Coordinates of all heavy atoms in Angstrom, one line a residue:
R260 N -126.5 -143.3 -105.9 CA -128.1 -143.3 -106.4 C -128.2 -142.6 -107.7 O -128.9 -143.0 -108.5 CB -129.0 -142.7 -105.4 CG -129.2 -143.5 -104.2 CD -130.3 -142.9 -103.3 NE -131.6 -142.9 -103.8 CZ -132.5 -143.6 -103.5 NH1 -132.4 -144.5 -102.5 NH2 -133.6 -143.6 -104.0
T261 N -127.3 -141.5 -107.9 CA -127.4 -140.8 -109.2 C -126.9 -141.7 -110.4 O -127.2 -141.4 -111.6 CB -126.6 -139.5 -109.2 OG1 -125.2 -139.8 -109.0 CG2 -127.1 -138.5 -108.2
H262 N -126.1 -142.8 -110.0 CA -125.5 -143.6 -111.2 C -126.3 -144.8 -111.4 O -126.0 -145.6 -112.4 CB -124.1 -143.8 -110.9 CG -123.2 -142.6 -110.9 ND1 -123.1 -141.8 -112.0 CD2 -122.5 -142.1 -110.0 CE1 -122.3 -140.8 -111.8 NE2 -121.9 -141.0 -110.5
I263 N -127.2 -145.2 -110.5 CA -128.0 -146.5 -110.5 C -128.9 -146.4 -111.7 O -129.7 -145.5 -111.8 CB -128.8 -146.9 -109.2 CG1 -127.7 -147.1 -108.1 CG2 -129.6 -148.1 -109.5 CD1 -128.3 -147.3 -106.8
V264 N -128.8 -147.3 -112.7 CA -129.6 -147.3 -113.8 C -130.7 -148.4 -113.6 O -130.4 -149.6 -113.5 CB -128.9 -147.6 -115.1 CG1 -129.8 -147.7 -116.3 CG2 -127.8 -146.6 -115.3
M265 N -132.0 -148.0 -113.4 CA -133.0 -148.9 -113.2 C -134.2 -148.6 -114.1 O -134.4 -147.5 -114.5 CB -133.6 -148.8 -111.8 CG -132.6 -149.3 -110.7 SD -133.3 -149.4 -109.1 CE -134.6 -150.6 -109.4
R266 N -135.1 -149.5 -114.4 CA -136.3 -149.3 -115.2 C -137.2 -148.6 -114.2 O -137.3 -148.8 -113.0 CB -136.8 -150.6 -115.7 CG -136.0 -151.3 -116.7 CD -136.7 -152.5 -117.2 NE -136.0 -153.2 -118.2 CZ -135.3 -154.3 -118.0 NH1 -135.3 -154.8 -116.8 NH2 -134.5 -154.8 -119.0
G267 N -138.1 -147.8 -114.8 CA -139.1 -147.1 -114.0 C -138.7 -146.0 -113.2 O -137.7 -145.2 -113.8
E268 N -139.2 -145.6 -112.1 CA -138.9 -144.4 -111.3 C -137.7 -144.4 -110.6 O -137.2 -143.3 -110.2 CB -140.1 -144.2 -110.5 CG -141.4 -143.9 -111.1 CD -141.4 -142.7 -111.9 OE1 -140.9 -141.6 -111.5 OE2 -141.7 -142.7 -113.1
G269 N -137.0 -145.5 -110.5 CA -135.7 -145.6 -109.7 C -135.9 -146.3 -108.4 O -137.0 -147.0 -108.1
L270 N -134.9 -146.2 -107.6 CA -134.9 -147.0 -106.3 C -135.7 -146.3 -105.1 O -135.1 -145.4 -104.6 CB -133.5 -147.3 -105.9 CG -133.2 -148.4 -104.9 CD1 -133.8 -149.8 -105.3 CD2 -131.7 -148.5 -104.8
Q271 N -136.9 -146.7 -104.9 CA -137.6 -146.3 -103.8 C -137.5 -147.1 -102.5 O -136.9 -148.2 -102.7 CB -139.2 -146.2 -104.1 CG -139.4 -145.4 -105.4 CD -139.0 -144.0 -105.4 OE1 -139.0 -143.3 -104.4 NE2 -138.5 -143.5 -106.5
N272 N -137.9 -146.7 -101.3 CA -137.7 -147.5 -100.1 C -138.2 -148.9 -100.2 O -137.5 -149.8 -99.8 CB -138.2 -146.8 -98.9 CG -137.5 -145.5 -98.5 OD1 -136.3 -145.5 -98.9 ND2 -138.0 -144.6 -97.9
A273 N -139.5 -149.0 -100.7 CA -140.1 -150.4 -100.8 C -139.3 -151.3 -101.8 O -139.0 -152.4 -101.5 CB -141.5 -150.3 -101.3
S274 N -138.9 -150.8 -102.8 CA -138.1 -151.6 -103.8 C -136.7 -151.8 -103.2 O -136.1 -152.9 -103.6 CB -138.1 -150.9 -105.2 OG -137.5 -149.7 -105.2
M275 N -136.2 -150.8 -102.5 CA -134.8 -151.1 -101.9 C -134.9 -152.4 -101.0 O -134.0 -153.1 -100.9 CB -134.4 -149.8 -101.1 CG -132.8 -150.1 -100.5 SD -132.3 -148.8 -99.6 CE -132.2 -147.3 -100.7
D276 N -136.0 -152.3 -100.1 CA -136.1 -153.5 -99.2 C -136.2 -154.8 -99.8 O -135.5 -155.9 -99.5 CB -137.3 -153.3 -98.2 CG -137.2 -152.3 -97.2 OD1 -136.0 -151.8 -97.0 OD2 -138.2 -151.6 -96.8
K277 N -136.9 -154.9 -101.0 CA -137.0 -156.1 -101.8 C -135.6 -156.5 -102.4 O -135.3 -157.6 -102.4 CB -138.1 -156.0 -102.9 CG -139.5 -156.0 -102.4 CD -140.4 -155.8 -103.6 CE -141.9 -155.6 -103.0 NZ -142.8 -155.5 -104.2
L278 N -135.0 -155.5 -103.0 CA -133.7 -155.7 -103.6 C -132.7 -156.1 -102.5 O -131.9 -157.1 -102.8 CB -133.2 -154.3 -104.2 CG -131.8 -154.4 -104.9 CD1 -131.7 -155.5 -105.9 CD2 -131.4 -153.1 -105.4
M279 N -132.6 -155.5 -101.4 CA -131.7 -155.9 -100.3 C -132.0 -157.4 -99.9 O -131.0 -158.2 -99.8 CB -131.8 -155.1 -99.2 CG -131.2 -153.7 -99.3 SD -131.2 -152.7 -97.8 CE -130.5 -153.7 -96.6
N280 N -133.2 -157.8 -99.8 CA -133.5 -159.2 -99.5 C -133.1 -160.2 -100.5 O -132.5 -161.2 -100.2 CB -135.1 -159.4 -99.2 CG -135.5 -158.9 -97.9 OD1 -134.7 -158.8 -97.0 ND2 -136.8 -158.4 -97.8
R281 N -133.3 -159.8 -101.8 CA -132.8 -160.6 -102.9 C -131.3 -160.7 -102.9 O -130.8 -161.9 -103.1 CB -133.2 -160.1 -104.3 CG -134.7 -160.3 -104.5 CD -135.1 -159.9 -105.9 NE -136.5 -160.3 -106.1 CZ -137.3 -159.6 -106.9 NH1 -137.0 -158.5 -107.3 NH2 -138.5 -160.0 -107.0
M282 N -130.6 -159.7 -102.6 CA -129.1 -159.6 -102.6 C -128.6 -160.5 -101.3 O -127.7 -161.2 -101.5 CB -128.7 -158.2 -102.6 CG -129.0 -157.5 -103.9 SD -128.5 -155.8 -103.8 CE -126.8 -155.9 -104.2
L283 N -129.1 -160.2 -100.2 CA -128.7 -160.9 -99.0 C -129.0 -162.4 -98.9 O -128.3 -163.2 -98.4 CB -129.1 -160.2 -97.8 CG -128.5 -158.7 -97.6 CD1 -129.3 -158.0 -96.5 CD2 -127.1 -158.9 -97.4
L284 N -130.3 -162.7 -99.4 CA -130.8 -164.1 -99.2 C -130.5 -164.9 -100.4 O -130.8 -166.2 -100.4 CB -132.2 -164.0 -98.9 CG -132.6 -163.3 -97.6 CD1 -134.1 -163.2 -97.4 CD2 -131.9 -163.9 -96.4
A285 N -130.0 -164.3 -101.5 CA -129.6 -165.1 -102.8 C -130.8 -166.0 -103.2 O -130.6 -167.1 -103.6 CB -128.3 -165.8 -102.6
Y286 N -132.0 -165.5 -103.3 CA -133.1 -166.4 -103.6 C -133.7 -166.0 -105.0 O -134.7 -166.6 -105.4 CB -134.4 -166.4 -102.6 CG -135.1 -165.2 -102.5 CD1 -136.2 -164.8 -103.4 CD2 -134.8 -164.1 -101.5 CE1 -136.8 -163.5 -103.3 CE2 -135.4 -162.9 -101.4 CZ -136.5 -162.7 -102.2 OH -137.2 -161.6 -102.3
D287 N -133.1 -165.1 -105.6 CA -133.7 -164.7 -107.0 C -133.0 -165.6 -108.1 O -131.8 -165.6 -108.3 CB -133.1 -163.3 -107.3 CG -133.8 -162.6 -108.5 OD1 -134.3 -163.4 -109.4 OD2 -133.9 -161.3 -108.6
P288 N -134.0 -166.4 -108.8 CA -133.4 -167.3 -109.6 C -132.9 -166.7 -111.0 O -132.2 -167.3 -111.8 CB -134.7 -168.2 -110.0 CG -135.8 -167.3 -109.8 CD -135.4 -166.5 -108.6
C289 N -133.2 -165.3 -111.2 CA -132.7 -164.6 -112.4 C -131.7 -163.6 -112.1 O -131.4 -162.8 -113.0 CB -133.9 -163.9 -113.0 SG -135.3 -165.0 -113.5
A290 N -131.0 -163.7 -110.9 CA -129.9 -162.9 -110.6 C -128.9 -163.5 -109.7 O -129.3 -164.5 -109.0 CB -130.5 -161.6 -109.9
L291 N -127.7 -163.1 -109.7 CA -126.6 -163.5 -108.8 C -125.9 -162.4 -108.3 O -125.5 -161.4 -109.1 CB -125.6 -164.3 -109.7 CG -124.5 -165.0 -108.9 CD1 -125.0 -166.2 -108.2 CD2 -123.3 -165.3 -109.9
H292 N -125.9 -162.1 -107.0 CA -125.3 -161.1 -106.3 C -124.2 -161.4 -105.5 O -124.2 -162.4 -104.8 CB -126.4 -160.3 -105.4 CG -127.6 -159.9 -106.2 ND1 -127.6 -158.7 -106.9 CD2 -128.8 -160.4 -106.3 CE1 -128.8 -158.5 -107.4 NE2 -129.5 -159.6 -107.1
A293 N -123.2 -160.7 -105.5 CA -122.0 -160.9 -104.7 C -121.5 -159.6 -104.0 O -121.7 -158.6 -104.6 CB -120.8 -161.5 -105.6
G294 N -120.9 -159.7 -102.9 CA -120.4 -158.6 -102.2 C -118.9 -158.4 -102.6 O -118.2 -159.4 -103.0
I295 N -118.5 -157.2 -102.7 CA -117.1 -156.9 -103.0 C -116.4 -156.5 -101.6 O -116.9 -155.7 -101.0 CB -116.9 -155.7 -103.9 CG1 -117.7 -155.9 -105.3 CG2 -115.4 -155.4 -104.2 CD1 -117.7 -154.7 -106.1
Y296 N -115.4 -157.2 -101.3 CA -114.6 -157.1 -100.0 C -113.1 -156.8 -100.4 O -112.7 -157.5 -101.4 CB -114.8 -158.3 -99.2 CG -116.2 -158.6 -98.8 CD1 -117.0 -159.3 -99.7 CD2 -116.7 -158.1 -97.6 CE1 -118.3 -159.6 -99.4 CE2 -118.1 -158.4 -97.3 CZ -118.8 -159.2 -98.2 OH -120.1 -159.4 -97.9
R297 N -112.4 -156.0 -99.8 CA -111.0 -155.9 -100.0 C -110.4 -157.3 -99.5 O -110.8 -157.8 -98.6 CB -110.4 -154.7 -99.2 CG -110.7 -153.4 -99.7 CD -110.1 -152.2 -99.0 NE -110.5 -152.3 -97.6 CZ -109.6 -152.1 -96.6 NH1 -108.4 -151.9 -96.8 NH2 -110.1 -152.1 -95.3
S298 N -109.4 -157.6 -100.2 CA -108.7 -159.0 -99.9 C -108.3 -159.0 -98.4 O -107.7 -158.1 -97.9 CB -107.5 -159.3 -100.7 OG -108.0 -159.5 -102.1
G299 N -108.7 -160.0 -97.7 CA -108.3 -160.2 -96.3 C -109.1 -159.3 -95.4 O -108.8 -159.2 -94.1
N300 N -110.2 -158.7 -95.8 CA -111.0 -157.9 -95.0 C -112.5 -158.2 -95.1 O -112.9 -158.7 -96.0 CB -110.9 -156.3 -95.5 CG -111.4 -155.4 -94.5 OD1 -112.5 -155.4 -94.1 ND2 -110.5 -154.4 -94.2
S301 N -113.2 -158.1 -93.9 CA -114.6 -158.6 -93.9 C -115.7 -157.4 -94.2 O -116.9 -157.7 -94.0 CB -114.8 -159.3 -92.6 OG -114.7 -158.3 -91.5
E302 N -115.1 -156.2 -94.5 CA -116.0 -155.1 -94.6 C -116.5 -155.0 -96.1 O -115.7 -154.9 -97.0 CB -115.3 -153.8 -94.2 CG -116.2 -152.6 -94.4 CD -115.4 -151.3 -94.2 OE1 -114.2 -151.3 -93.8 OE2 -116.0 -150.2 -94.4
L303 N -117.8 -155.0 -96.3 CA -118.4 -154.8 -97.6 C -118.2 -153.5 -98.1 O -118.4 -152.5 -97.5 CB -119.9 -155.0 -97.4 CG -120.8 -154.9 -98.7 CD1 -120.5 -156.1 -99.7 CD2 -122.2 -154.8 -98.4

């Protein structure tokens, strides 16, 4: 959290929920989110 660079006040709980939905559901037309997984592993 200390390294996340965001506009405004930072990542609050309400904005975290919105961000998580955008990342998981891939519905943001102005962003592309991908998970990083170790090769051959299913853990994010």
